[in-house]
Amino acid sequence: MEGLEKRYPNQLSGGQQQRVALARALIIKPDIMLLDEPFSALDHAMRMRLRLDLKKIQSKYGIPMLLITHDPIEAYTMADSLIVYSYGRVEQIGPPKEVFNKPKNRSVAKLAGINNIFKGIVLDIGDEEVLIQSHEKIIAPKISGLKIGDEITWCIRPEQVMVLREDKPLGKAVSENLFSGKIIEIIPKGMSYLLFFEGVLNLEIEIPTHAFERLHLEKGKTIRVSLKKSAIHTFD
């Protein structure tokens, strides 16, 4: 932090104080570090830079780090292993990819940024897939222990919902779980857009900016979407 060398920490901004605190913690070569939302007062660019710095420090010196955060993106990018807490108890432990794509229950799904959560009843069970009666019939990957008639909950991440081009033939991977509906709201997020889709199923869809622009999406437009079978996750 060039130009600030003669200032005391209490003369610095909140983000600068956090960076000084991190340096002071590292200089004593600790056996373990506890980081309680260490990037909360930083702007986006500095947050990304410090995340990379911390990963390099951890890799170089092997200091175990316990990082507490409410930011799902931060948790995913920083963690080797995630522990999800809710109301003072551990809900799930595992690698970030597993926790984010295969939450154990509704609470974990919500904390992992999934709002596309629905209930259903098992209609049929095949060798590799299960048919669920929800708002409509849904084909999902089979999980062990299911019986016909069981109540089940299923979910899909917003970025896994595929918006289909009307002028392009459907490939096998997107030919199941097809729905039509209308875009009722759009929220720009910089690198992506969040679409609110209303139809037989009401869905949140996250789509990269380049795809959003290529598909000429706009509020009120009717679109078709596919819920890829492999992207659907079920839990009791």
Side-chain angles (χ1 to χ4, degrees), residues 113 115-116 157-158 161 194-197 202-206:
N115 289 317
N116 300 323
R157 294 199 61 81
V161 181
L194 186 62
L195 312 180
F196 292 86
F197 171 93
N202 294 335
L203 298 163
E204 287 186 11
I205 306 168
E206 187 159 357

Side-chain angles (χ1 to χ4, degrees), residues 185-196 205-207 209 212-213:
E185 194 60 70
I186 298 174
I187 298 177
K189 297 179 67 179
M191 300 299 291
S192 65
Y193 282 81
L194 186 62
L195 312 180
F196 292 86
I205 306 168
E206 187 159 357
I207 184 169
T209 296
F212 177 89
E213 293 172 349

